[in-house]
Amino acid sequence: MKKMISLILVVMLMLSLAACGKDSKTTDKKNKKLTVGVVQTNANESDWRTANTNSFNKAFDEAGFTIKMVFGEGDHAKQISQAQQLIQEEVDYLVVLGLQSAGWEDVAKAAKEAEIPFIMADRKLDLSEDLYTAMVCSDFEEEGNKAVKWLKEQALDSYKIVVLGGDTGSSAQLGRSKAIEDGAAANGWEIVFNQNMKGWDETLAKQAVADLIAGGTEFNVVYAQNDNMARGACDAMDAAGITYGKNGDVKVIAFDANKWALEKVLAGEFNLDVECNPLHGPRIVKLINQLEAGETVPKNAYVDEEMFDCDTITQAIVDARSY
Amino acid sequence: MTKNNIKPSTQRGVSVFKTISKHRLFIPIAFLMFLLLLNIFIKPGFLRISLGRDSSGNPVLIGNLVNILNNATELVILAIGMTLVTASSKGQDISVGSTIAIVGGVIMRVLCGNETQPTELKAPIILAFLLGCLAGMVCGAFNGILVAKFKIQPMVATLILFTAGRSIGSMAMGGLKPKAVSSFGYYGNFIPGFPIPTPILITILVVAITYIALKKTNLGLYTRAVGINDRSSRLNGLNPAKIKFMAYVIMGFCVGIAGFVQSSRVQTVNPYTIVPGIEMDVILAVALGGNSLGGGTVNMAGSIIGAYTLQTLTSMLTTLNVNTNAVPVFKAVIIILLVAIQTPAVKNFFSNKAKVSKIISNQGKESA
């Protein structure tokens, strides 16, 4: 009986090995549907992220690629192992949206050895140029600099700034924090509060601002590193009767520019919203098609991004926004 | 002569101090007082509470103390459930944060349907609350069956929901991130016209019910008995499996209430980031309250005070504007201090020192 089972197992093993060999031999890149592995952060982190994920799914579907999307769900280490798994599955392209910017060298090297093009999207990772194929990212520091420039133009009597940071160590947080910290140092502004909220969420931002108000900290600018935290901060100011926005005492600056946030800009609740464009799908598809055709692609491409001021925004801009 | 007169009274003072310090709530309360005093010392206006008006003109109480009492609500409610779970099953439920994501997801789906910006509530709030509690209790029952019936270690059993819960919450919401109308926010903020935050009232209600349940029923006694010795409690006619299962279902109910309050705070839920890392804070609150994490103690008041201590610490780190990179370190250092004082090694060290000094002073007197 035991012999029988072991014989069956051996036969099965041989068959499966044979299947492997056959598969890899007949793989013809031109006839096969391209498989693109996407390492996404979280499925539902924010409205921005939802628009981002949908953009990938839609664009890849239209281009006829097979998409293998995995979600890190807030876990940096998980993302790295997921990326390595995708490399072992021999995807044709690897697109990475990293939760943290550090620690991707091994993945990039493994991809290079397996001859899988490594594309960074959304957030720039700490990699030397020879390790990745291309990058389509938002320039977060530039976004922050736009906000700083706008803030300077407001010519307030004094600047007391509350900085609500995003997830510590993400490139969005690092870039946006650096911009305001440098801006404040250069212009002699006072940053009265500067801490990162876990998870870019309303609740923690709201509790932090409520604590600041209760503790008697005075501020006249809220620099929230995404729309959701700006909304949380506004909730806290509402509860304490502090006026904000277009006609209020506190200037509110938000990032990402979701549709609902632009509605708030239009309503004069947020003063400024700096866009962070989530529609990466079509850009990546274009990039992959160019690479397939053997064209050279720009190594470092930044996404064009605008900003929306409550004094200049129009209904048409809000209506045109799809996410 | 005068010396003799003073002596008994000081001795009585010492013994009163001794009985107080031996009380099981002494260390938890001392921690809380220590943190509050530290806050007052650093920021003299810390305890000030003022009556302000919100942007709609309704009266509201504003102050750090109000914020602490308000924001600790979830922690306190969860700590109550966790105390029972810890005491009976000799282990912790690490799935509470993920289960809150499920509860929040269910509540938002019931209230908002399939819209992201609904202009009205799709269902009565009470229905959403009940379904949210039901979802929490189902998750609790799932954990309870694994622990009580299949005898899986609590941390391993609850690891399942800890891993999957946030994704389940996202699925419950259908992948959307809706925001409910502001009237849903009364339960996590203020009822218009009433200046005390609603979560504080909810906390008082839950704590009162817990107090009555512990006083009037055998809940505490049975839980403790099962936690101390499973087998002997069965020999005494208890059903340990049933009591453990009950503890997990009660935990699930607590998660339901906490999830309801949490989702009402900003009227929206993000399953992946809601209450980040609250599991560990809750377990810490139970430990700070003087409960043994190995089971067998039900020091409910201690757990509640522990929860407030942690919230005071969080609030303090915000008002002091501690450098964001130093926040976790700062928190860790204070927690290590708080936990270290409770360890037998430190306690023995101090009591030995006291004994030695007593002996020395006695010797001194004798020689005189």
Side-chain angles (χ1 to χ4, degrees), chain B residues 30-93:
Chain B
F31 288 163
L32 186 57
M33 288 300 144
F34 166 71
L35 273 187
L36 286 174
L37 283 175
L38 198 63
N39 271 302
I40 296 167
F41 180 70
I42 296 165
K43 228 175 177 133
F46 188 79
L47 288 183
R48 196 177 52 225
I49 295 174
S50 58
L51 190 66
R53 289 192 175 276
D54 70 4
S55 51
S56 333
N58 295 308
V60 289
L61 285 177
I62 296 172
N64 284 111
L65 215 51
V66 179
N67 282 348
I68 291 170
L69 291 173
N70 181 356
N71 294 337
T73 301
E74 288 89 341
L75 215 49
V76 169
I77 294 174
L78 292 175
I80 290 172
M82 191 67 84
T83 309
L84 292 177
V85 163
T86 304
S88 65
S89 71
K90 305 177 185 176
Q92 287 73 40
D93 181 351

Side-chain angles (χ1 to χ4, degrees), chain A residues 8-29:
Chain A
I8 292 173
L9 280 175
V10 167
V11 170
M12 275 171 69
L13 196 68
M14 280 165 75
L15 279 177
S16 61
L17 279 174
C20 279
K22 200 180 163 193
D23 195 33
S24 57
K25 261 178 212 163
T26 52
T27 302
D28 188 3
K29 230 182 174 180

Side-chain angles (χ1 to χ4, degrees), chain B residues 16-257:
Chain B
V16 166
F17 179 74
K18 235 180 182 173
T19 41
I20 290 175
S21 66
K22 280 221 171 119
H23 192 271
R24 62 196 181 126
L25 283 182
F26 171 72
I27 291 177
I29 291 178
F31 288 163
L32 186 57
M33 288 300 144
F34 166 71
L35 273 187
L36 286 174
L37 283 175
L38 198 63
N39 271 302
I40 296 167
F41 180 70
I42 296 165
K43 228 175 177 133
F46 188 79
L47 288 183
R48 196 177 52 225
I49 295 174
S50 58
L51 190 66
R53 289 192 175 276
D54 70 4
S55 51
S56 333
N58 295 308
V60 289
L61 285 177
I62 296 172
N64 284 111
L65 215 51
V66 179
N67 282 348
I68 291 170
L69 291 173
N70 181 356
N71 294 337
T73 301
E74 288 89 341
L75 215 49
V76 169
I77 294 174
L78 292 175
I80 290 172
M82 191 67 84
T83 309
L84 292 177
V85 163
T86 304
S88 65
S89 71
K90 305 177 185 176
Q92 287 73 40
D93 181 351
I94 57 167
S95 72
V96 289
S98 305
T99 317
I100 282 188
I102 298 178
V103 170
V106 168
I107 288 173
M108 293 316 285
R109 190 59 179 271
V110 171
L111 290 179
C112 301
N114 284 328
E115 288 175 42
T116 45
Q117 298 265 5
T119 47
E120 57 179 2
L121 294 174
K122 303 286 178 202
I125 289 171
I126 181 76
L127 182 69
F129 172 68
L130 291 176
L131 285 176
C133 286
L134 186 69
M137 286 161 82
V138 168
C139 294
F142 174 74
N143 289 334
I145 289 171
L146 291 182
V147 172
K149 187 87 185 161
F150 294 97
K151 308 254 189 293
I152 301 174
Q153 283 177 34
M155 204 168 272
V156 179
T158 54
L159 193 62
I160 299 170
L161 275 175
F162 171 79
T163 315
R166 292 182 185 269
S167 302
I168 297 173
S170 174
M171 275 187 256
M173 290 166 78
L176 301 169
K177 202 190 167 202
K179 184 166 164 64
V181 293
S182 54
S183 65
F184 174 52
Y186 295 166
Y187 308 92
N189 300 292
F190 295 89
I191 296 170
F194 193 72
I196 299 173
T198 324
I200 297 182
L201 304 178
I202 295 175
T203 317
I204 293 171
L205 192 68
V206 172
V207 170
I209 292 171
T210 313
Y211 178 77
I212 292 169
L214 286 175
K215 274 270 161 202
K216 297 282 170 192
T217 70
N218 290 325
L219 180 71
L221 181 68
Y222 287 1
T223 311
R224 212 158 44 226
V226 170
I228 292 169
N229 194 327
D230 208 316
R231 197 167 294 166
S232 69
S233 63
R234 184 161 50 233
L235 291 177
N236 281 298
L238 297 178
N239 182 350
K242 194 174 148 196
I243 289 166
K244 284 181 195 172
F245 178 75
M246 282 267 292
Y248 277 88
V249 174
I250 293 172
M251 175 88 246
F253 183 62
C254 292
V255 170
I257 302 171

Side-chain angles (χ1 to χ4, degrees), chain B residues 295-331:
Chain B
T297 48
V298 181
N299 190 352
M300 198 60 86
S303 298
I304 294 169
I305 293 166
Y308 283 119
T309 310
L310 279 180
Q311 188 60 44
T312 310
L313 184 57
T314 310
S315 181
M316 179 176 153
L317 296 176
T318 307
T319 43
L320 294 184
N321 187 18
V322 175
N323 184 313
T324 192
N325 294 322
V327 166
V329 181
F330 204 92
K331 205 171 171 180

Side-chain angles (χ1 to χ4, degrees), chain A residues 200-217:
Chain A
W200 305 93
D201 216 355
E202 279 100 342
T203 322
L204 292 179
K206 182 179 175 181
Q207 291 184 355
V209 174
D211 277 343
L212 290 176
I213 295 169
T217 307

Side-chain angles (χ1 to χ4, degrees), chain B residues 327-344:
Chain B
V327 166
V329 181
F330 204 92
K331 205 171 171 180
V333 167
I334 292 185
I335 288 166
I336 289 170
L337 277 177
L338 298 188
V339 174
I341 299 170
Q342 289 203 72
T343 55

